[in-house]
């Protein structure tokens, strides 16, 4: 009874997947919308039809504040005795890299003639970015956010509402990003004819992982140019935190071909293969432990690339935190934006092939990273980005002489969590918590 | 599976197709296995079978049921809390002896993870061994279905595809060329869940499918005998009811008895609808009920 055309499927596969990862595992009702999005992606993003990309870049400059600086971190450089550069995505409007993607997708939805925007959010940064982009482009917007995340990221809930978005708390499960994505998919399955789902990371069904990556690739494109200007060469390593992996892929994409492995050669870039790779480190949330609590079906971490297994979640084949039977685990991280049991399929592929090295640091190392950057450099980083900084502290000897670290966002949203979590621990770089009680 | 045989001889491509064609208009029921326990599910399935269900779908619970509304999502949560596992599910199916053929409805990851490596074959082999007649996977569109369809073909299982209100043109043709057993016609956009009316999208979808000689069954929102009548009248071969039955499981004092009675009501409604069709052969789709 099988009448499928293997030729056609093979052709489709190479577009929809990264090695074995990716694809489109969604309810049938959503498939036409994905096809429509795929067409819009090709026309507007890849071919700049109607000047879409020109308008996007102009808006990212004037509304979004791009380009962001690549700053030499003087005291970190001194501390580790090597050159540390920070890509300052915390300076993007809204306080995180998330706007690069949100503005791109809301604008695309507008070009596609959609009338309504929905999105999910974990840390609230993607929700905030989407709410801002929707207000900027005059589109109605609804955001789904897990109950736990609503409680631990209140400043962002306020900001979304200020920008006119409706915030819908999701009570199911552990009330984090996974549940918010489920609920947004359900909304989309009902409203797909006039609504665009602005997915917040390089996850989900094709073409989202590519679309989001392309909007985020500006991070690495700028960083690559800036480091050559400032240091006269490419870095030895690039470090970024990975939740779903959008700032990771955005930072890495332009550096992926900077290696000797012909599988990653990029003909259009005109780059010749190098003997020495630009090493790419994806830093995941190690939470309190990398061990899995099989009894409770709980991973006390969100280190999907490091410890996950292959499976299908939220529309894509990728690495997951799951039980042997295939039930998805509740993940954990002190940082809401990394607290997710899945990861982008392209990142799974790059990790599987060895081009990207997945690593992790625990909650405590991230909190220390947060305090260290705040004290030493006068930059308060997001708890997500603090994981990347925590890794630089732990592994600086392996990173080479010239290191780029992506500071994916700023930490204003995290101050309450950081105070609470710091008080529980005896952290070396932290200020006395009583200081805050005096005011 | 037997080869294509003209339906005039009374033989069909599969148990499922036979169950629908021979019992036309067919009642298809859904329950989540393990809600609130596998023993209860056994009793409930037998009650539905007695009540006139012609085909029974059993849900193997997955923690992220993105196509389900609140009712089935809650049933899945209850089943998972009760410790329902794929092996427990298959053991239940091993034990069940119903007149109606059984289908499993589950999400793709559950199928992939059965066995040692991510692979669809061990699940399909075990499903065939347990006596299941088919598989429905709400998050597996035709584009991704080749591996599972091949495994199902090898083991004589039907792979049922969903046709949504948004499925038109070339996509519709592709799906209809791959359908086996029956086409699951999604009555409306959105997720599963009992509704108070039959959507106009149902009539439009059935009209689009009229030219395909495949059994068509309508689900998503059907909850009463009157809906069943209206759907059969609109030229469907069967109705699929899930959330309305789960409401009974969740709230009745005697679920087995009430499920049996509900199945009877739904089947009667379907038959009423079929009688109207024979009387009034040039029926036009009715407007949506208030
Ligand atoms: C500042 C910041 N960095 C990183 C992340 C993690 O997402 P991704 O891995 O997609 O960059 C988030 C998510 O909310 C975030 O707010």
């Amino acid at each position: 009874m099988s009448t499928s055309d293997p030729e056609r499927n093979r052709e489709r596969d190479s577009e929809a997947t990264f090695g074995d990862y990716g694809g489109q595992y969604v309810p049938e009702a959503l498939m036409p919308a994905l096809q429509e999005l795929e067409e819009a992606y090709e026309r507007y993003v890849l071919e700049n039809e109607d000047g879409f990309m020109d308008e996007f870049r102009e808006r990212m400059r004037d509304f979004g504040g791009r380009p962001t600086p690549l700053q030499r971190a003087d005291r970190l450089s001194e501390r580790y005795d090597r050159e540390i550069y920070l890509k300052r995505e915390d300076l993007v409007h809204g306080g995180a890299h998330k706007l690069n993607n949100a503005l791109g997708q809301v604008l695309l939805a507008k070009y596609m003639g959609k009338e309504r925007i929905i999105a999910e959010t974990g840390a609230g940064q993607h929700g905030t970015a989407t709410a801002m982009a929707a207000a900027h482009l005059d589109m109605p917007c609804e955001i789904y956010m897990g109950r736990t995340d609503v409680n631990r990221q209140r400043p962002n809930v306020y900001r979304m509402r200020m920008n006119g978005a409706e915030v819908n708390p999701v009570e199911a499960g552990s009330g984090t990003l996974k549940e918010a994505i489920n609920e947004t998919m359900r909304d989309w399955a009902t409203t797909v004819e006039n609504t665009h789902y602005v997915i917040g990371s390089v996850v989900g069904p094709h073409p989202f992982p590519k679309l989001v990556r392309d909007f985020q690739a500006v991070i690495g494109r700028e960083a690559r140019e800036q480091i050559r200007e400032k240091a006269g060469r490419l870095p030895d390593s690039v470090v970024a935190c990975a939740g779903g992996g959008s700032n990771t892929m955005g930072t890495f994409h332009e550096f992926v071909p900077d290696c000797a492995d012909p599988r990653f050669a990029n003909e259009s870039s005109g780059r010749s293969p190098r003997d020495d790779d630009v090493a790419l480190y994806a830093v995941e949330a190690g939470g309190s432990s990398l061990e899995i609590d099989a009894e409770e079906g709980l991973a006390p971490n969100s280190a999907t690339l490091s410890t996950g297994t292959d499976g299908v979640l939220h529309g894509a084949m990728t690495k997951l935190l799951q039980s042997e039977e295939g039930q998805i685990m509740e993940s954990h991280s002190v940082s809401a934006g990394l607290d997710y049991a899945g990861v982008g399929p392209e990142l799974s592929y790059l990790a599987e092939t060895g081009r990207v090295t997945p690593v992790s640091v625990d909650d405590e190392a991230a909190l220390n990273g947060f305090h260290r950057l705040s004290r030493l450099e006068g930059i308060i980083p997001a708890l997500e980005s603090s994981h990347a900084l925590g890794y630089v502290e732990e592994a600086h000897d392996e990173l080479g002489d010239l290191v780029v670290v992506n500071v994916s966002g700023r930490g204003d949203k995290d101050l309450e969590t950081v105070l609470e979590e710091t008080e529980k621990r005896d952290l070396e770089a932290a200020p006395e918590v009583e200081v805050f009680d005096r005011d | 599976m037997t080869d294509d045989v003209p339906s005039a001889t009374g033989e069909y491509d599969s148990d499922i197709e036979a169950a629908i064609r021979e019992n036309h208009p067919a009642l298809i029921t859904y329950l989540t296995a393990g809600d609130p326990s596998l023993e209860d599910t056994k009793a409930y399935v037998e009650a539905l079978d007695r009540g006139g269900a012609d085909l029974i779908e059993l849900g193997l619970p997955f923690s992220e049921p993105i196509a389900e509304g609140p009712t089935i999502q809650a049933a899945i949560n209850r089943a998972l809390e009760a410790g329902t596992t794929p092996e427990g599910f298959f053991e239940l199916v091993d034990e069940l002896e119903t007149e109606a053929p059984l289908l499993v409805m589950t999400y793709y990851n559950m199928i992939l993870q059965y066995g040692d490596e991510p692979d669809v074959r061990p699940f399909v082999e075990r499903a065939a061994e347990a006596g299941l007649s088919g598989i429905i996977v709400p998050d597996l569109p035709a584009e991704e279905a080749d591996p599972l369809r091949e495994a199902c073909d090898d083991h004589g299982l039907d792979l049922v595809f969903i046709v949504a209100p948004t499925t038109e043109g070339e996509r519709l043709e592709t799906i209809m060329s791959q359908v086996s057993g029956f086409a699951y016609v999604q009555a409306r956009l959105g997720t599963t869940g009992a509704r108070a009316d039959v959507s106009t999208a149902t009539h439009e979808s059935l009209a689009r499918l009229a030219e395909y000689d495949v059994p068509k069954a309508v689900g998503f929102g059907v909850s009463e005998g009157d809906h069943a009548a209206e759907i059969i009248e609109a030229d469907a071969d069967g109705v699929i009811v899930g959330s309305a039955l789960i409401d009974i499981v969740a709230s009745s004092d005697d679920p087995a008895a009430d499920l049996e009675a509900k199945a009877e009501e739904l089947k009667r409604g379907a038959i009423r609808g079929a009688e109207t069709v024979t009387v009034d052969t040039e029926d036009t789709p009715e407007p949506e009920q208030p």
Side-chain angles (χ1 to χ4, degrees):
Chain A
M1 207 158 258
S2 178
T3 54
S4 59
D5 173 359
E7 267 323 298
R8 177 193 62 93
N9 279 355
R10 203 164 313 127
E11 197 177 294
R12 194 193 87 80
D13 277 359
S14 66
E15 285 162 16
T17 57
F18 308 94
D20 292 336
Y21 300 105
Q24 296 177 305
Y25 299 88
V26 296
E28 166 58 28
L30 297 177
M31 286 301 288
L34 291 179
Q35 283 180 337
E36 190 188 342
L37 184 62
E38 215 173 321
E39 271 164 42
Y41 166 59
E42 276 162 23
R43 284 168 47 198
Y44 296 122
V45 179
L46 299 182
E47 283 160 31
N48 192 28
E49 195 172 305
D50 299 341
F52 172 85
M53 284 304 284
D54 301 324
E55 180 174 350
F56 169 57
R57 292 202 182 97
E58 186 182 323
R59 287 182 188 274
M60 273 315 300
R61 193 177 65 231
D62 295 345
F63 175 70
R66 297 214 75 92
T68 60
L70 181 76
Q71 178 205 345
R72 184 179 186 276
D74 292 339
R75 289 181 67 197
L76 285 186
S77 297
E78 200 179 309
R79 181 180 176 93
Y80 304 130
D81 193 24
R82 66 205 64 232
E83 297 290 305
I84 307 287
Y85 282 84
L86 305 176
K87 181 61 176 165
R88 297 288 309 277
E89 291 300 293
D90 59 310
L91 294 178
V92 176
H93 176 49
H97 71 293
K98 296 282 176 184
L99 186 73
N100 302 327
N101 168 49
L103 186 71
Q105 282 197 55
V106 175
L107 188 64
L108 188 63
K110 197 141 201 162
Y111 273 59
M112 290 167 71
K114 299 287 174 186
E115 290 157 14
R116 172 176 175 259
I117 294 295
I118 54 173
E120 92 296 324
T121 195
Q125 281 304 130
H126 173 60
T128 298
T130 306
M132 284 171 167
H136 174 65
L137 293 166
D138 191 21
M139 294 272 264
C141 174
E142 252 175 83
I143 308 285
Y144 292 88
M145 187 171 187
R147 169 60 69 188
T148 307
D149 290 339
V150 167
N151 294 342
R152 63 177 162 173
Q153 306 273 250
R154 256 176 306 177
N156 274 338
V157 176
Y158 296 146
R159 292 205 294 170
M160 288 182 255
R161 294 199 169 123
M162 292 292 171
N163 285 128
E166 206 173 302
V167 180
N168 304 321
V170 179
E171 308 288 344
S174 65
T176 58
L177 183 57
K178 171 166 78 67
E179 287 78 23
I181 294 181
N182 291 340
E183 215 45 48
T184 319
M185 286 209 166
R186 292 191 177 109
D187 180 320
W188 201 31
T190 313
T191 58
V192 60
E193 288 165 311
N194 68 358
T195 297
H196 178 68
Y197 174 10
V198 179
I199 211 160
S201 191
V202 285
V203 300
H206 173 71
F208 280 108
K210 286 189 175 171
L211 177 68
V212 176
R213 175 202 69 198
D214 287 357
F215 287 137
Q216 292 291 2
V218 63
I219 304 173
R221 196 155 50 243
E222 287 175 7
R224 196 170 182 279
E225 234 164 72
Q226 289 164 324
I227 193 80
R228 292 175 90 178
E229 226 165 74
K230 296 201 166 189
R233 66 174 180 99
L234 291 179
D236 297 309
S237 49
V238 179
V239 183
C241 69
S246 69
N247 89 90
T248 332
M249 277 315 307
T251 312
F252 293 173
H253 184 59
E254 283 289 315
F255 292 103
V256 166
D258 293 318
C259 66
D261 191 329
R263 281 176 299 176
F264 307 109
N266 180 344
E267 282 157 33
S268 62
S269 73
R271 289 177 215 163
S272 44
R274 301 156 39 100
D275 311 330
D276 50 334
D277 301 353
V278 173
L280 306 172
Y281 292 93
V283 188
E284 301 192 289
S288 58
S289 162
L290 286 187
E291 299 291 316
I292 272 165
D293 182 345
E295 190 104 324
E296 290 288 314
L298 205 142
N301 61 71
S302 312
T304 316
L305 290 169
S306 310
T307 67
T309 54
D310 294 354
V312 169
L313 176 64
H314 295 146
M317 173 84 72
T318 189
K319 289 203 180 288
L320 308 176
L321 299 175
Q322 61 182 333
S323 74
E324 279 188 9
E325 285 155 1
Q327 307 297 355
I328 308 305
M329 296 207 175
E330 300 297 346
S331 56
H332 163 81
S333 169
V334 68
S335 121
L338 301 184
D339 197 347
Y340 180 52
V343 66
E346 186 172 16
L347 212 45
S348 289
Y349 168 72
L350 291 173
E352 186 84 4
T353 51
R355 181 66 190 96
V356 164
T357 309
V359 295
S360 65
V361 299
D362 65 15
D363 287 344
E364 191 154 320
L367 286 161
N368 275 321
F370 178 98
H371 290 300
R372 197 178 307 110
L373 196 74
S374 303
R375 283 264 168 121
L376 294 184
E377 300 287 352
I379 300 167
I380 299 179
L383 264 177
E384 291 80 5
S385 323
S386 302
H387 284 74
L389 296 154
Y391 184 71
V392 175
E393 172 82 6
E394 283 183 9
H396 51 86
D397 283 342
E398 290 144 40
L399 298 178
D401 298 328
L402 185 57
V403 182
V404 170
V405 186
N406 190 40
V407 181
S408 56
R410 66 174 192 228
D412 308 36
K413 68 188 175 63
D414 294 318
L415 294 183
E416 267 186 56
T417 306
V418 168
L419 280 179
E420 207 175 283
E421 295 289 332
T422 299
E423 200 169 5
K424 290 188 206 157
R425 299 171 167 89
D426 192 18
L427 299 184
E428 131 228 357
E432 295 294 327
V433 172
E434 295 88 76
V435 172
F436 296 90
D437 294 335
R438 259 187 256 139
D439 306 321
Chain B
M1 250 191 294
T2 53
D3 291 325
D4 283 47
V5 177
S7 47
T9 67
E11 285 184 50
Y12 300 97
D13 269 6
S14 69
D15 294 349
I16 291 178
E17 186 169 354
I20 296 177
R21 297 254 198 226
E22 287 172 4
N23 299 298
H24 189 283
L27 171 62
I28 303 171
T29 58
Y30 167 90
L31 286 180
T32 299
D35 168 29
S37 75
L38 286 168
E39 294 95 88
D40 288 317
T41 304
K42 182 163 187 287
Y44 299 164
V45 167
E46 287 165 354
L48 291 169
D49 194 47
R50 282 194 304 275
D54 300 304
L55 188 60
I56 296 172
E57 280 179 39
L58 275 177
L60 167 61
F62 175 53
S63 58
E64 319 301 316
I66 54 172
E68 275 16 288
T71 307
I72 295 182
Q73 189 185 10
I76 286 172
N77 290 345
R78 288 191 295 268
L80 288 174
E81 292 209 342
T84 308
T85 63
E87 207 38 60
F89 172 86
F90 283 129
E91 283 164 14
L92 165 70
V93 178
D94 286 335
E95 282 178 29
L96 275 167
E97 286 174 32
T98 53
E99 202 149 306
L102 301 172
L103 277 119
V104 54
M105 163 117 146
T106 195
Y107 286 75
Y108 196 52
N109 198 49
M110 295 303 296
I111 294 173
L112 270 183
Q113 303 307 328
Y114 191 80
D116 296 335
E117 308 254 301
D119 180 8
V120 297
R121 289 204 165 248
F123 185 94
V124 176
E125 278 161 26
R126 182 69 179 90
E129 183 194 297
L132 286 160
S133 300
I135 304 186
I136 306 180
V137 191
D139 64 342
L140 188 71
E143 278 78 354
E144 303 289 358
D146 281 356
L148 186 59
R149 194 175 36 245
E150 281 159 23
C152 283
D153 285 351
D154 289 351
H155 288 85
L157 293 186
D158 280 331
L159 181 57
V160 174
F161 285 98
I162 294 175
V163 175
T166 50
T167 313
E168 296 177 47
E170 225 176 285
R171 279 198 61 72
L172 182 63
E173 274 177 44
T174 311
I175 292 172
M176 292 310 280
S177 70
Q178 300 184 19
V179 158
S180 66
F182 67 97
Y184 188 131
V185 181
Q186 183 181 331
R188 62 185 81 226
L189 282 177
T191 51
T192 54
R195 309 292 163 91
D197 59 40
V198 174
S199 158
T200 44
T202 308
H203 299 277
E204 287 159 17
S205 298
L206 285 170
R208 270 205 305 283
L209 294 180
E211 62 185 278
Y212 297 94
D213 183 29
V214 169
K216 296 140 203 137
V218 174
F220 276 48
V222 184
S223 63
E224 287 169 25
D226 286 347
H227 302 161
E230 191 182 341
I231 286 165
I232 297 298
E233 220 177 301
D235 209 19
D237 300 290
V239 291
I240 308 168
V241 182
S243 296
L245 303 177
I246 287 173
D247 284 335
I248 293 173
V249 169
S251 62
S252 161
D253 293 333
D254 187 354
D258 289 347
L259 286 167
E260 187 175 338
K262 187 72 181 177
E264 285 167 1
E265 173 206 324
L266 290 160
K267 180 75 186 187
R268 270 198 308 274
I271 291 171
R272 200 163 63 241
E275 283 162 355
T276 321
V277 176
T278 22
V279 174
D280 175 14
T281 41
E282 280 172 81
D283 64 318
T284 43
E286 295 217 340
E288 195 159 351
Q289 291 191 342

